[in-house]
Amino acid sequence: MTRPPDRPAVEAEVEVEVVEYTDPLCPWAWGSEPVFRRLRAALAGRVTWRRAYCVLFDHDDDPPPDPAAETAWYARYVEDISGHTRAPRALRLSRVAASSWPSSLVAKAAERQGDEVSGRVLRRLRESVFVLGEPADTRALAEAAVRGVPGLDRELLAADAASASVLEAVRADRAEARRPVPGVLSVHGGSPHPGAAKETADGGYRYALPTLLVRTPAGSRVVPGWRPYEEYASAIEELSPGLLTEPLRPAPSDALARYRSLTDPERELLTDGPWPPSGAVRVETGNGPVWLHPEEAATHPARGRGAPAAP
């Protein structure tokens, strides 16, 4: 097992921090992927971007009295969200996730192998439920979902995901997500998911997912819920004028090689040129396709479900 080299020291000197409160199995967070991918590209090398895992499905949640009815209700809930976000949803959802802990531990463990690997691991975990309909809610399912991610040391990932230090890190994320800034306790706006903090069983509050908190020595801004790119850009511009640069929109083949998996909202927002690129593998869902790079399709859990695009 080998660890990647430490990140460049320049990252420690960046004074802008973006904290993304999220969960691998959250449908609103999945629907925010196009905008967040664009935002990360626009801020690459200029900020530190940290993900804090909220644990949306917790250990102490009561099991549903009727799992089939609960699954049917949740599938309709996800369908309603995808109607707003246009994010793909599974053709059939096998069940409501029993716990977010396994996927959160695997996602947090993957951070030790660098940003690129951890981003691809998180993407696979999201796709487990919203593309495949089989939420990665056990350690075995979470580790199986990320098999074949380029650059991933699976043995190291498994060891780290089972470690006390990663467990403590996710516990710290969960606790942090339950100390929301006052600005999200009451939120209004035109979004179907404005992102007001959610009340917890103990009478406290947690961030709605997703929420971005942008911090600098001069102050902070919070952008909760499902929002357009312009609202995130405005918050960052207010704190650090000129920091945000509009990223180039690569050709479809280059974008697919970079991201390895693209939804229709993502390819429309992030790429420039005729679609699909040669060799792209189309995987059908209940709400539009997911497009996989052919190398990604070879190891993706959806292999066998997709068909190559016409050359």
Side-chain angles (χ1 to χ4, degrees), residues 15-305:
E15 293 186 338
V16 179
E17 180 189 36
V18 179
V19 185
E20 176 189 349
Y21 296 97
T22 192
D23 186 283
L25 308 181
C26 172
W28 284 111
W30 168 239
S32 296
E33 284 277 274
V35 166
F36 284 3
R37 279 183 158 181
R38 180 179 175 187
L39 191 64
R40 287 175 70 91
L43 293 170
R46 300 177 181 86
V47 304
T48 57
W49 187 298
R50 176 171 62 88
R51 292 186 177 102
Y53 294 102
C54 177
V55 186
L56 182 61
F57 299 97
D58 216 336
H59 287 322
D60 57 3
D61 292 343
D62 293 331
D66 185 340
E70 181 80 357
T71 299
W73 173 86
Y74 191 71
R76 290 192 298 272
Y77 173 70
V78 171
E79 182 177 0
D80 182 61
I81 292 172
S82 70
H84 296 293
T85 67
R86 297 178 53 226
R89 55 179 172 79
L91 286 165
R92 178 185 175 278
L93 182 66
S94 67
R95 64 187 180 283
V96 179
S99 174
S100 290
W101 279 98
S103 58
S104 298
L105 290 166
V106 167
K108 182 62 70 174
E111 293 178 359
R112 299 185 173 191
Q113 299 191 37
D115 287 343
E116 187 170 335
V117 167
S118 66
R120 288 176 173 173
V121 163
L122 178 57
R123 177 68 174 214
R124 286 279 194 95
L125 294 168
R126 294 198 197 284
E127 290 173 343
S128 74
V129 58
F130 301 114
V131 175
L132 304 175
E134 189 72 28
D137 56 358
T138 69
R139 182 72 59 79
L141 287 173
E143 292 181 6
V146 304
R147 186 179 295 119
V149 165
L152 176 67
D153 185 327
R154 291 182 59 210
E155 184 180 354
L156 178 60
L157 180 78
D160 284 341
S163 70
S165 60
V166 167
L167 175 59
E168 186 55 38
V170 175
R171 284 175 173 167
D173 282 356
R174 180 187 179 280
E176 179 183 342
R178 282 155 179 77
R179 297 190 298 270
V181 297
V184 298
L185 296 181
S186 179
V187 177
H188 304 283
S191 170
H193 178 49
K198 304 292 186 180
E199 190 168 0
T200 56
D202 61 2
Y205 290 89
R206 66 158 175 84
Y207 284 111
L209 304 181
T211 291
L212 284 197
L213 178 64
V214 185
R215 293 194 288 220
T216 73
S220 64
R221 296 288 186 277
V222 63
V223 186
W226 185 67
R227 302 283 174 165
Y229 177 83
E230 290 73 20
E231 291 198 33
Y232 299 103
S234 176
I236 292 165
E237 182 67 18
E238 287 177 14
L239 287 173
S240 187
L243 179 70
L244 195 71
T245 61
E246 186 62 25
L248 296 174
R249 296 179 62 184
S253 59
D254 293 336
L256 196 58
R258 173 182 178 182
Y259 291 111
R260 299 182 67 88
S261 169
L262 288 167
T263 64
D264 275 349
E266 288 172 331
R267 59 101 171 169
E268 292 166 7
L269 188 65
L270 301 173
T271 75
D272 186 18
W275 191 271
S278 178
V281 177
R282 178 182 177 124
V283 177
E284 297 295 346
T285 76
N287 191 42
V290 171
W291 299 90
L292 302 181
H293 187 275
E295 293 178 2
E296 177 73 3
T299 63
H300 196 282
R303 62 186 178 276
R305 299 191 185 188

